[in-house]
Structure formats: structure tokens, C-alpha cells
Amino acid sequence: MSTGKRSQHSARRGLIFFMMITILEVSGQIQYSIPEEMQKESLVGDIAVDLGMDMKKTGNKVRIGCGGRIQYFAWNYESGRLYTAERIDREEICGRTQKCLLKCDVIIENKMKVYAVEVEITDINDNAPHFPPGEQELTISETSTLGSRFPLPEAQDPDLGINSIQNYQLIGSSHFALAVQMGENGARHAELVLESSLDREEQSEYELILTASDGGDPIRSGTARIQVSVLDANDNAPVFSQPVYQVSVKENLQKGSIVCTVTATDKDEGINKELNYSFKKIGEAASQMFALNSTTGEITLAGTLDYEELSLYEFEVQAKDGGGLFDRAKVLIAVTDVNDNIPQIEITSHVNSVPEDSPPGTVIALLKIQDQDSGTNGKISCSIDTNLPFQLEKTYNNYYSLVTERALDREHTPFYNIIIGVTDYGMPPLSTSCTLLLQILDTNDNPPLFTETTYTCYLMENNPRGSSVFSLKADDPDWEENSRITYSIIESQRRDFSSSYLSINSETGIVYALRSFDYEDLVEIHFQVKAQDGGSPPLSSNVSVTLLILDQNDNAPQILYPSTPTDGSTGVELAPHVSEPEYLVTKVVAVDADSGQNAWLSYQLLKATEPGLFSIGLHTGEIRTARFFLDKDALKQSLVVLVKDNGQPPLSASVTVTVVLADSIPESLSDISSISAPADPESDITFYLVVAVAFVSCLFFAFLLVLLALRLHKWRNSQLCDSASMNFSGVPVSQFVGIDGVRAFLHSYCQEISLTTDSRKTKCSLPKADNSNTLTDQQIEDPILIVGDIATGNQAFVQMC
């Protein structure tokens, strides 16, 4: 037998070169055919060529998965070819199944496609027929009639077709002949036929050689030694109660349970009635699964049934009496399925993230869902949360595609935990689930939106340049670069806006003033701000902004009437001697360039020649008589009217109104000429102060000239001396004592005088007199002091207070 095995291996290697590989591509299926027992790494088929795949593009994105615990095939990622990974024994994988198929799935991950590959394993003659081990014993009664048939041990050959048992041969005695019968399933059974009478007294035992041979090339055979014992007469053979015992048991039956009981009866007496039960024509799987009580005929479960591995067991039971007569019955044990397998979910391919603009039907994952049970127990139902925008679609066999059902929105849901549940229809139902985490990638589908539809902001006039005016903000629900907002001011076509007015920080949205605004020139500014995100292509939105300039009290009231004459005189108003109280003498008219309360003007009499003689309207500026004129009243009345606005702080202006008490203009002229204008003592004081300051300044300038001349003289003398130069610390402070008296006199005046080498005239600016008792608000011209040339190159600053 070992020699036949080696020759068979040589034949198998020769068959590799002549194997027939057929390809059939129907509905995504490819079928190959290879013989069993090929060496590892033998070529099965070129899947890349058959499917038209470009391996440079697909590369390692292709996976192959085969069911079962052993992976018999391997995929070459470079060539796209399928090779054997393990030794393939058709009899071990498929047993007596006529067509042995190994199914694999080729999964192209980047395209989410599945192709079914079926590899048919064809049989080769790699197994020799063999009989049960040991010597086979057969007892035949000497009274057996000619032509009686006795079953012989059946040889087993796991090969199929022509490679299975084709013939039996018997040698050893002329008393016996061999008859071969064909069974229902095509199997051949050998029987021993009695051709001549037996006489136990002549020969009690016969040794026969039974040879079984198959039809393979080369032919393989197996032999069995049969010991035939001749017995005394036994009239009745055992008879089973039924020729076929059919039993159905569940696959979860416990070990040691009684499957069935076979019974046979024998009409003989004594030892010829005692029966012994035994298995006959039983396969290896059944012999390990069941045990038979030789006395009672009880068949018990010795192993663990599994419907998914083997669902039907078939064997024969023999009942043999003490005289050697026997009977046989067939036993069929059908294993029924129970729901003992949980559905299995295998994620063959999936993506971790998809863009939110993915169209409906985009494949997220490819799943293989199956249940090893059969019938109703193997039927499954898949489900996912109906609130999720996904659905499962069955694509091929047990493969399902998880696809998008509707549009995705990252801003609404940035990621999904997709729970896929699978439940079978068994009783009780079994279920399982798996979870897929899917991240939604952002696309630029949302423009920036401002928090308000329009903006109105306020800015006080006279603002500093570069000051912050206001800030605005836009929100973009997109992510990262798509939500990065840049702000800009859109050039407006309106006349009230110029790019030199405002600027905006492109990142923060803060608007800055590029200039100082004047309410009197510009009241409001209209412009638009654009917010643009960083997506591709970018999206943007605009918002209208109105900037209102707020008024500040920066303009003093301006008196329009009475206007100040150009010659410096004051206007004259007439009031009749017989004027009654509330007589309208004149009206002071003033305006203020400001607005609002800053332009609200109020009038009051600041000073009058005759207090109580005239009154002025607080808001109208109308000057009216307050009483009748008296003879003692002066004919020329001087009124100082103060006009003040309502700003903070308030600004004011004043005007002097001269009222002459006369009934007509000629009369008023004669009255004015007869009355000398009264001296204004306060004006004289101002004049004297100015003269005193100018005089003191001249004295001081002269002092400086003398001091400089002395220094120059000493310096010239020092140049003539050969000795070391001498340092003069300057004129002592005591030389200025003479000026202190003037300082005490002019304690309210302070002046700074600058002398340079190139100036022949020095202008001395004296401040305006600030005296509340003056009648007019007149500009005092600064006196010009003319000094001689300053010969020294130093510049002197003199401050007199």
C-alpha cells in the first residue's frame, strides 16, 4: 500500500501540468477547477486578468477571504494571482460529496465590490481501498443450501467515480464463489456464495483472501483475510423487527442519551437464540459518534452532534445468534438543527470618514453577515437605527452594503456611532451587533453669518486717529479652514464714505478710525463689511453698517447780531425816553455750530451801566426795558451780553451793546457828542501793565547784553594768557536781585523770551489780559521789542514772572 501511495503522488505531480482550469464569470462569479493534493504555492488562477483589474491602482486594496478554519488559498498582491496555501484533500473537506467546491470572496476595498470565486476540487486516485482492520470471521452452517449468500466485509475507498472500488476478487477455496452487487448509491457490495455442500466433519474452517481494487490509474487495491467457520445446524436465523430504522434527533442531544433501540428475534432455543448486536458498514464518523449495546441493541450517543458538520448518519446493525445465523438492518439517524449559533458579522471593508456632501448611496462599509444554522434558524434580519441617515442593502449572498440614505450635515452631527443589529428567526431568537464609528468631514457649505442683520454704532467726534470704533463678529459653523473668517470693508459707491475714513482688522473684525471726525462736517457714514471664510471656493456674506458721529461741544456760540463793526466801534441801539417796561430795545442773535443740547443757547446780562434798567430773554436774546427811564439815568448805556451754550463744559461768547436814550437819531448824536466817554479804569490798568512788562523786559535784555559783553571780554583776556585756562562759573545769582521787585509787581504775568545769534528783532509774546471787569473781549496786540544785535553765539532764555 505504501508503494502504491508513492506512485500515486508521482502521478499527482504529473497531473499538475495537465490540470484543466475553467473560468466562468456570471454575475460577478469566477469558477476554477483544480485537482486535489497539489503542492503549496501552486497556481490556481489569474484573478487580476479574469476580472480586468489593474494591480498598480488596486495594490493592497484587494483582500481574499475563504470560509472555514483553514485558509487553503493565498493572494499575491503584485501579480494578482491566486495560489494554494495548504495541501488540499478533497475527501477530508467534502467527504462523499460528488462536487467539492471551496468558495472564496475577492473584495476590492477601494471600490467596495465583491466577486465570488468558486474553486472545484477534482478527485484523484490518492486512496487505496481498505477493509476493517484485523481478520474477518464468518460462520456458515453446514446445512446451508447451495446458492446461499453471505455478506462479506465492505471495503472503503474515499475516492469517487472511477477512482472508487470497481471490483472484488476472492481466492482460497472452491466451495465458495464471489457475487458483487450494485447498491442504490452506486457502491459495490461483495457477497460470498456457497457453490458446494459443506461438511463440518471433513473441514471445519476455510481461509479466504478478498481483494478490492479501484479503477484509477494506476490501480490501487486492498485485501482482507476471511476466516470461515462451519457450524452445526441452526434452523432459524434472527429477524429484525423492521428492515430500516429511521430516527430524528436534535443536535443538542446530551452525550449518553439513547438514540434508538434495534430489536431482533430468533425462534431457536438455547444458544441459537442468544443474539449479539454489532455495527456493520459504518463509517468512521458514525463509529465515533454512536455506541451499540451488544446485548440490548440500544444505540447511545457517544459524541457531540453538530448539524452544521454532518446532518445524516447511515450504517447497518447486525444481529447474530449463537449458531452463527444473522440478520442486518439499516439505521438512518437524521440530525435536526437547533438555534445554537449566533449570527456572525464580519466587516470586510469600511471607511472611517466621508465628506458631508457625499451623495445618497455612498458605500460606507461592506459586511458579511451569516448564521451557521439552517432553515428558519439560519434566516436573519438586519437593522439599524431608523433615525440615522444610513441603510443596509443586500448585494450578494451574505454580503450587505452600508450606504448613505440621505444627505449628511457635519454641522448637525459631526460623527455617528452606527450600531448594526442582526437577529435570527430561531426559537428563542439569537442576536448580535457591531458598532461602526463614522466621522463626517467638513465641506465649505455654510457662508459666514453676522450676529445681526444691520449694525448701528456711535462715535464721539474729535476722536483720536487709530482709535477703535466698534467690533462686529460673524460665525461660520464649518470646521477649521472653512470656518476661518477674514473681514474687509467693501468700497461703497455712496458719497458719504471714503476708504480713508475707516479700516478693519481682518482677523478680529475691529473697526478703527483713520482720521478724527468732525460732526459739523460729517454726521454719519454708511458702509458694508464683508466676512469671507477660507474654504475653497470661499463663501462670504455682507452686512450694512451705519456709523453715527456724536456731537461734542467744541464750538462756541457765534453772535450774528449785533455784529462787531470793522473799525472797532460798537453798534448803537435807540431807546425812547418814554419807553415803558418790557419795551423791546433790540435782540441779540447767535448760533452754535454744534447740535442737540450743545446748541441750546441761553442769554444773560453780564454787565450793565445801570443794573436793573434792562433785562434779556433767557432763550430769546431780546433786550427789553425793565422799568421807566429816570432823569438820573445816563443817556448812554453799555450792556455786556453773554451767550452760553448747554454743553459740558459750556462754551460762551459775549458782545457789547450800546443803548442811547433818545427819541431820534439827530437827538442821539447831539447827546452823545455832549457826553464824553467815561474812562474805563480797567482798560487803563491793562495798558499800564503792558507798558510795565515791556519796560522790565527791555531792562532785562540790556542786562543780558552787558553780561554777555563781560563774558566775551574775559574770554578774550584768557586767550592772551600763557598760563592754564581759567574756568568761570558764571554770574552770581545776586546780580538778578534788581529784578525781584519787578517780579513782585508783575506777579500775574509770565513771559518767556528767546534770543538767538541771528535775530535782530525778538518778538515778545504777552498773554491776553484776563479780567472779568472789562467791558469788551478785545484782542491785545503783543508788543514787539527791538533789541540790538547779539554778538555772542549763545542762545539765552529769559523768563519773567
Side-chain angles (χ1 to χ4, degrees):
M1 294 177 65
S2 61
T3 304
K5 194 76 173 180
R6 285 194 297 269
S7 63
Q8 180 61 28
H9 281 303
S10 300
R12 182 176 66 253
R13 287 192 293 267
L15 283 175
I16 293 176
F17 297 99
F18 301 99
M19 66 180 181
M20 299 298 293
I21 301 179
T22 61
I23 302 175
L24 177 62
E25 184 173 353
V26 179
S27 301
Q29 295 186 7
I30 300 176
Q31 186 173 0
Y32 298 98
S33 179
I34 62 172
E36 64 174 330
E37 300 293 344
M38 293 179 66
Q39 294 182 354
K40 289 184 179 180
E41 299 182 0
S42 297
L43 175 64
V44 177
D46 195 337
I47 295 181
V49 173
D50 298 334
L51 294 180
M53 292 188 301
D54 187 355
M55 296 306 298
K56 293 182 179 180
K57 294 182 179 179
T58 56
N60 57 1
K61 297 297 182 181
V62 179
R63 290 194 302 112
I64 184 167
C66 300
R69 300 174 182 176
I70 302 175
Q71 296 295 322
Y72 291 100
F73 303 104
W75 169 267
N76 189 302
Y77 290 101
E78 296 180 355
S79 64
R81 295 179 177 179
L82 189 66
Y83 294 90
T84 58
E86 297 289 340
R87 184 186 69 85
I88 301 176
D89 188 354
R90 193 202 65 81
E91 290 75 30
E92 180 181 347
I93 298 172
C94 300
R96 302 295 298 178
T97 304
Q98 290 294 328
K99 191 172 185 179
C100 183
L101 296 177
L102 291 180
K103 297 182 179 181
C104 299
D105 299 320
V106 176
I107 304 168
I108 304 178
E109 295 182 349
N110 55 354
K111 294 184 178 180
M112 294 292 181
K113 290 185 178 180
V114 180
Y115 295 92
V117 177
E118 291 184 352
V119 181
E120 182 182 1
I121 310 300
T122 59
D123 184 49
I124 64 173
N125 193 24
D126 59 337
N127 293 283
H130 63 278
F131 290 93
E135 189 177 54
Q136 305 297 319
E137 294 183 356
L138 184 63
T139 56
I140 300 175
S141 175
E142 64 179 339
T143 59
S144 298
T145 60
L146 298 179
S148 298
R149 293 173 178 264
F150 304 93
L152 293 176
E154 185 176 355
Q156 301 291 329
D157 191 336
D159 293 328
L160 295 177
I162 193 66
N163 296 323
S164 64
I165 298 175
Q166 300 295 319
N167 191 23
Y168 284 94
Q169 292 180 351
L170 182 67
I171 58 175
S173 177
S174 60
H175 288 275
F176 303 97
L178 184 65
V180 179
Q181 302 292 332
M182 183 75 70
E184 296 178 357
N185 57 358
R188 289 174 171 81
H189 306 288
E191 292 180 340
L192 188 66
V193 180
L194 182 63
E195 289 191 341
S196 60
S197 300
L198 299 176
D199 188 352
R200 182 178 179 279
E201 286 72 23
E202 292 182 0
Q203 186 175 353
S204 60
E205 292 183 351
Y206 297 88
E207 289 187 1
L208 306 178
I209 302 297
L210 180 62
T211 302
S213 58
D214 57 26
D217 185 14
I219 297 175
R220 292 174 175 272
S221 62
T223 59
R225 298 178 63 85
I226 301 175
Q227 181 74 30
V228 179
S229 299
V230 181
L231 299 177
D232 282 335
N234 185 13
D235 298 338
N236 297 288
V239 177
F240 278 98
S241 60
Q242 55 191 69
V244 178
Y245 290 87
Q246 293 184 350
V247 181
S248 178
V249 294
K250 294 183 178 181
E251 62 175 327
N252 60 352
L253 187 67
Q254 298 293 324
K255 286 184 179 180
S257 300
I258 298 176
V259 177
C260 69
T261 302
V262 294
T263 57
T265 57
D266 193 324
K267 295 181 180 180
D268 292 328
E269 297 294 336
I271 192 172
N272 293 328
K273 190 177 182 179
E274 295 179 0
L275 302 179
N276 182 273
Y277 297 94
S278 62
F279 286 127
K280 296 295 180 181
K281 295 184 180 180
I282 185 170
E284 182 179 358
S287 63
Q288 295 178 357
M289 190 63 63
F290 302 101
L292 175 62
N293 190 313
S294 61
T295 303
T296 62
E298 292 180 348
I299 300 176
T300 58
L301 183 64
T304 301
L305 296 174
D306 190 347
Y307 174 86
E308 288 70 36
E309 291 186 1
L310 190 60
S311 60
L312 180 64
Y313 294 90
E314 181 180 353
F315 52 87
E316 290 184 0
V317 177
Q318 176 179 284
K320 184 178 181 180
D321 60 17
L325 299 181
F326 60 89
D327 189 17
R328 290 186 180 182
K330 182 181 291 187
V331 178
L332 298 176
I333 300 177
V335 181
T336 59
D337 185 45
V338 296
N339 195 25
D340 60 342
N341 289 284
I342 298 176
Q344 297 176 352
I345 303 176
E346 179 184 354
I347 302 174
T348 59
S349 180
H350 76 287
V351 294
N352 296 322
S353 59
V354 293
E356 62 177 326
D357 60 350
S358 300
T362 301
V363 180
I364 305 300
L366 193 62
L367 310 173
K368 185 177 183 181
I369 304 175
Q370 58 184 353
D371 193 319
Q372 298 296 333
D373 294 324
S374 63
T376 304
N377 297 328
K379 293 182 179 179
I380 58 175
S381 64
C382 306
S383 63
I384 59 175
D385 191 348
T386 56
N387 295 324
L388 298 179
F390 306 99
Q391 64 179 359
L392 282 173
E393 294 180 352
K394 190 171 183 178
T395 55
Y396 163 76
N397 276 353
N398 298 322
Y399 283 92
Y400 294 80
S401 294
L402 178 65
V403 299
T404 57
E405 184 181 15
R406 54 184 183 270
L408 305 175
D409 188 358
R410 190 206 67 84
E411 290 70 36
H412 182 267
T413 307
F415 62 89
Y416 290 93
N417 282 321
I418 307 172
I419 301 177
I420 301 173
V422 180
T423 305
D424 60 24
Y425 288 92
M427 291 301 294
L430 300 178
S431 62
T432 185
S433 64
C434 70
T435 302
L436 291 176
L437 179 62
L438 181 65
Q439 181 181 5
I440 308 302
L441 300 180
D442 184 51
T443 57
N444 194 26
D445 57 344
N446 292 282
L449 296 178
F450 288 93
T451 56
E452 298 181 17
T453 56
T454 59
Y455 286 86
T456 302
C457 54
Y458 303 90
L459 177 65
M460 188 69 69
E461 65 172 332
N462 301 319
N463 58 286
R465 291 184 179 181
S467 60
S468 172
V469 177
F470 74 104
S471 65
L472 43 76
K473 181 176 178 58
D475 294 322
D476 193 324
D478 290 327
W479 192 44
E480 289 187 343
E481 192 67 26
N482 294 330
S483 64
R484 186 169 292 120
I485 299 175
T486 302
Y487 300 92
S488 61
I489 295 179
I490 301 177
E491 289 290 343
S492 176
Q493 300 298 327
R494 297 172 61 102
R495 296 180 179 179
D496 59 354
F497 178 78
S498 173
S499 58
S500 62
Y501 289 168
L502 303 169
S503 68
I504 189 170
N505 188 307
S506 60
E507 295 181 357
T508 62
I510 300 177
V511 179
Y512 297 93
L514 297 179
R515 54 171 287 184
S516 179
F517 295 107
D518 189 354
Y519 175 83
E520 288 70 37
D521 294 337
L522 189 62
V523 176
E524 60 183 21
I525 301 175
H526 297 275
F527 60 97
Q528 285 189 329
V529 174
K530 176 182 178 181
Q532 178 174 293
D533 58 28
S536 179
L539 301 179
S540 62
S541 61
N542 302 336
V543 68
S544 297
V545 182
T546 301
L547 175 61
L548 300 178
I549 309 300
L550 299 180
D551 183 47
Q552 191 178 37
N553 194 26
D554 58 344
N555 291 283
Q558 182 180 0
I559 300 175
L560 302 179
Y561 183 85
S563 59
T564 303
T566 57
D567 58 358
S569 61
T570 60
V572 178
E573 301 292 340
L574 298 179
H577 290 284
V578 294
S579 299
E580 296 181 353
E582 296 299 324
Y583 173 78
L584 178 60
V585 177
T586 186
K587 181 178 181 179
V588 178
V589 180
V591 294
D592 195 318
D594 295 324
S595 64
Q597 66 178 5
N598 295 328
W600 295 351
L601 301 180
S602 60
Y603 302 85
Q604 66 183 75
L605 282 176
L606 189 62
K607 187 176 181 182
T609 305
E610 293 290 342
L613 181 58
F614 297 95
S615 64
I616 188 170
L618 180 61
H619 300 296
T620 62
E622 295 177 348
I623 299 176
R624 298 178 181 270
T625 57
R627 58 178 176 80
F628 290 102
F629 292 128
L630 303 178
D631 294 338
K632 65 177 182 178
D633 294 333
L635 297 180
K636 181 181 179 182
Q637 298 286 333
S638 294
L639 306 177
V640 178
V641 178
L642 179 68
V643 183
K644 182 173 63 174
D645 58 25
N646 197 35
Q648 291 296 330
L651 300 179
S652 62
S654 62
V655 66
T656 301
V657 179
T658 300
V659 180
V660 177
L661 304 181
D663 295 329
S664 61
I665 293 177
E667 182 182 352
S668 64
L669 293 176
S670 61
D671 292 340
I672 292 173
S673 60
S674 62
I675 301 173
S676 60
D680 191 347
E682 293 183 359
S683 300
D684 295 341
I685 293 175
T686 303
F687 174 73
Y688 294 144
L689 288 175
V690 172
V691 173
V693 171
F695 178 72
V696 172
S697 299
C698 292
L699 289 179
F700 186 71
F701 291 155
F703 174 75
L704 288 178
L705 291 175
V706 173
L707 180 61
L708 292 175
L710 292 176
R711 282 183 170 271
L712 181 61
H713 178 69
K714 291 181 180 181
W715 177 77
R716 288 181 178 177
N717 291 336
S718 63
Q719 296 295 325
L720 300 176
C721 297
D722 294 331
S723 60
S725 59
M726 299 177 62
N727 294 326
F728 296 92
S729 60
V731 181
V733 181
S734 60
Q735 296 183 18
F736 297 91
V737 175
I739 307 177
D740 292 339
V742 181
R743 290 180 180 173
F745 179 73
L746 302 175
H747 61 88
S748 61
Y749 295 89
C750 183
Q751 200 59 225
E752 182 177 280
I753 300 172
S754 175
L755 302 178
T756 61
T757 59
D758 297 331
S759 62
R760 294 181 178 273
K761 296 181 180 181
T762 301
K763 183 176 180 180
C764 177
S765 299
L766 299 180
K768 298 179 183 180
D770 185 8
N771 195 324
S772 61
N773 295 325
T774 59
L775 294 177
T776 60
D777 186 11
Q778 301 176 354
Q779 292 292 110
I780 302 177
E781 295 294 334
D782 296 338
I784 305 299
L785 302 182
I786 308 301
V787 298
D789 294 343
I790 301 177
T792 159
N794 297 325
Q795 183 177 5
F797 296 92
V798 180
Q799 181 172 357
M800 296 183 296
C801 299

